[in-house]
Amino acid sequence: MKMKLSQWMKLIILTAMVGLTGCNESTVNCNSNNAKALALQVVNQHVGWAMYEQLENVRTQRQNTQRGVYLCAAEATGKAGSVTVIYSVQLADDKKSFVVTLLNG
């Protein structure tokens, strides 16, 4: 059974939401360790196996600190080389967890 792209995105977002808690508004951004780890996890889930080992050259493309939303770009690097990923980091309403959403791929 094939999954539609929208189903994949829902699965990725759900996984990312469950992933990490305990963050606050001042610690979540494109380059925070928790956000990078979760973004890398989402990227590897998207491709189906852990082929990327780290995010490098993380860049904040846009930010809305009042809402806790960041648009990010980075290079995922690993055994298969490197690929540019674009993702968002958004603080949840509870101000304790956040969501990472892969926007390309």
Side-chain angles (χ1 to χ4, degrees), residues 28-62:
V28 177
N29 61 54
C30 291
N31 204 35
S32 65
N33 289 335
N34 289 338
K36 289 192 302 186
L38 191 53
L40 189 60
Q41 178 183 343
V42 171
V43 168
N44 282 324
Q45 286 176 333
H46 180 71
V47 296
W49 61 89
M51 63 188 302
Y52 298 107
E53 299 163 358
Q54 62 185 348
L55 288 183
E56 298 177 341
N57 302 321
V58 176
R59 304 166 304 278
T60 301
Q61 302 294 308
R62 290 190 188 129

